[in-house]
C-alpha cells in the first residue's frame, strides 16, 4: 500500500526559509498536535474520520499544519500532518487535498485571526448538546463553567456545512479575537496560541458542558453564582497558564509509553 504521508510531504508548499521555524521547533509542533489527536480519540471526542485540528507554523497564520482527509484521530502521526498555504487557491485540487469543510473553516480562520495559532474543531457529545439548545449560554455553576464566563461566542446562524470561504469568513468574524466559539446546531471551535492551550481549553469546555447538561437533566434549579464571583474565578483560571503546559506534557508522557508512533 502506498504511504500517503510521503505524498503529503512531497506536496508541501514552498516557504521562504525566514518564515519557517527551525527543524526541532517544527518537529515539536507536529508531535504536540499529533498527541492532541491521539488524546481526544482516547476521550471519545472524535467523530468518525471527521473533525480537524490545525496549527500555524509562523506568526501571520498563512502557513499551517492540518490532519489529512479521512485519517482517524487514533492513527495520526506527526509526519501525517500536511502543510497548507491559506493563499493557495488551488489547495482543493491537490492530490492530498484536505476535507473541504476543514479547508474553508480553518484556512479562513488562520487567514483572518492571527491569534488563532492552533485551531481545534470537534463535535463532542456535551458541547454539541448545548449547541443544540435554544439557549446555548453557559451559566456559571461550577469552576469549569466559570472558566468560560464572558468568553463564549455563540453562532446562532447555522446554514449548513462549511463549504465556502464565505462561511469560513463568517465564523472567523464571530470568533474575532476570542478563544471559544460554540457553533449552534454544529459543535465547538477553540483557538489558542499553542497546542497545549487549545487542548486544555477544549478539554475543560467539554467538561463544563457535561456538568451543565447533567444539571439541566436533573430538572432542579441551577445554583448560579454572581457575576462578580464568576469574573473572579475566570480570572483565576487565566492565571493558571502552567496547567495547560503540564496537561500536554502528561498527555505526551502517557503516549510515549502506550503509543510512541505518534511522534513518527
Amino acid at each position: 500500500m502506498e504511504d500517503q504521508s510521503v505524498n503529503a510531504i512531497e506536496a508541501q508548499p514552498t516557504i521562504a526559509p525566514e518564515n519557517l521555524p527551525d527543524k526541532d521547533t517544527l518537529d515539536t509542533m507536529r508531535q504536540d498536535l499529533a498527541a492532541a489527536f491521539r488524546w481526544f480519540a482516547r476521550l471519545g471526542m472524535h467523530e468518525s474520520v471527521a473533525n480537524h485540528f490545525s496549527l500555524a507554523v509562523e506568526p501571520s497564520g498563512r502557513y499551517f499544519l492540518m490532519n489529512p482527509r479521512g485519517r482517524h484521530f487514533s492513527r495520526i502521526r506527526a509526519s501525517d500532518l500536511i502543510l497548507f498555504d491559506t493563499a493557495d487557491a488551488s489547495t482543493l485540487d491537490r492530490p492530498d487535498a484536505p476535507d473541504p469543510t476543514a479547508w474553508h473553516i480553518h484556512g479562513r480562520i488562520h487567514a483572518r485571526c492571527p491569534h488563532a495559532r492552533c485551531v481545534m474543531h470537534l463535535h463532542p457529545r456535551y458541547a454539541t448538546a448545548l449547541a443544540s439548545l435554544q439557549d446555548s449560554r453557559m451559566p456559571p455553576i461550577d469552576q469549569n463553567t466559570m472558566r468560560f464566563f464572558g468568553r463564549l461566542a455563540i453562532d446562532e446562524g447555522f446554514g449548513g456545512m462549511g463549504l465556502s470561504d464565505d462561511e469560513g469568513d463568517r465564523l472567523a468574524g464571530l470568533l474575532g479575537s476570542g478563544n471559544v466559539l460554540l457553533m449552534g446546531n454544529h459543535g465547538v471551535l477553540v483557538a489558542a496560541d499553542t497546542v497545549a492551550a487549545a487542548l486544555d481549553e477544549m478539554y475543560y469546555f467539554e467538561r463544563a458542558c457535561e456538568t451543565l447538561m447533567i444539571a439541566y437533566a436533573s430538572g432542579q434549579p441551577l445554583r448560579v453564582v454572581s457575576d462578580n464571583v464568576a469574573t473572579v474565578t475566570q480570572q483565576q483560571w487565566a492565571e493558571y497558564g502552567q496547567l495547560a503546559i503540564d496537561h500536554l506534557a502528561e498527555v505526551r508522557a502517557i503516549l510515549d509509553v502506550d503509543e510512541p508512533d505518534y511522534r513518527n
Side-chain angles (χ1 to χ4, degrees):
M1 180 178 294
E2 186 177 21
D3 187 344
Q4 295 180 354
S5 66
V6 173
N7 289 338
I9 292 171
E10 291 176 348
Q12 306 292 287
T14 301
I15 305 176
E18 62 270 19
N19 291 333
L20 273 176
D22 62 75
K23 182 181 184 303
D24 288 346
T25 299
L26 187 57
D27 285 347
T28 298
M29 295 170 79
R30 285 179 171 276
Q31 291 170 4
D32 283 349
L33 194 59
F37 283 109
R38 296 288 184 103
W39 196 248
F40 282 119
R42 281 195 176 203
L43 297 179
M45 291 172 64
H46 62 301
E47 186 167 76
S48 179
V49 292
N51 296 169
H52 303 85
F53 298 166
S54 57
L55 179 63
V57 301
E58 43 76 51
S60 76
R62 175 172 175 176
Y63 300 100
F64 66 95
L65 297 166
M66 189 164 65
N67 48 314
R69 181 175 184 170
R71 188 71 55 86
H72 197 277
F73 275 25
S74 66
R75 298 183 59 236
I76 294 290
R77 301 169 300 170
S79 61
D80 292 329
L81 301 171
I82 304 173
L83 190 63
F84 295 106
D85 177 355
T86 62
D88 183 1
S90 66
T91 294
L92 292 180
D93 297 323
R94 290 168 49 157
D96 62 347
D99 182 275
T101 61
W103 171 248
H104 291 300
I105 293 174
H106 289 250
R108 296 312 300 159
I109 288 175
H110 282 298
R112 294 192 54 185
C113 305
H115 78 285
R117 295 294 298 274
C118 183
V119 178
M120 296 185 174
H121 171 50
L122 292 173
H123 305 160
R125 182 177 296 111
Y126 294 99
T128 305
L130 181 60
S132 303
L133 299 182
Q134 181 66 35
D135 182 355
S136 294
R137 291 175 296 177
M138 178 172 281
I141 60 170
D142 77 325
Q143 287 188 157
N144 291 346
T145 53
M146 292 177 218
R147 173 173 174 148
F148 302 97
F149 183 73
R151 301 178 53 231
L152 181 60
I154 300 175
D155 173 18
E156 298 181 334
F158 179 77
M161 293 185 178
L163 292 170
S164 69
D165 279 351
D166 286 346
E167 177 64 4
D169 285 335
R170 186 184 73 84
L171 294 171
L174 289 170
L175 178 66
S177 60
N179 300 105
V180 186
L181 175 63
L182 186 62
M183 305 163 77
N185 308 107
H186 189 171
V188 61
L189 184 145
V190 164
D193 59 349
T194 64
V195 174
L199 180 147
D200 200 59
E201 196 91 304
M202 181 67 80
Y203 171 83
Y204 274 104
F205 188 73
E206 176 66 357
R207 287 297 295 267
C209 291
E210 180 178 8
T211 298
L212 180 59
M213 296 306 294
I214 291 173
Y216 277 146
S218 75
Q220 299 296 310
L222 300 181
R223 179 176 289 155
V224 179
V225 304
S226 68
D227 286 0
N228 180 62
V229 170
T231 298
V232 168
T233 308
Q234 187 278 315
Q235 184 57 42
Q236 290 170 333
W237 271 111
E239 295 167 359
Y240 245 96
Q242 186 63 35
L243 180 67
I245 296 170
D246 294 341
H247 190 175
L248 178 59
E250 284 298 291
V251 164
R252 288 197 55 169
I254 293 168
L255 294 174
D256 283 344
V257 174
D258 295 348
E259 303 177 39
D261 64 310
Y262 82 92
R263 301 191 304 254
N264 297 345

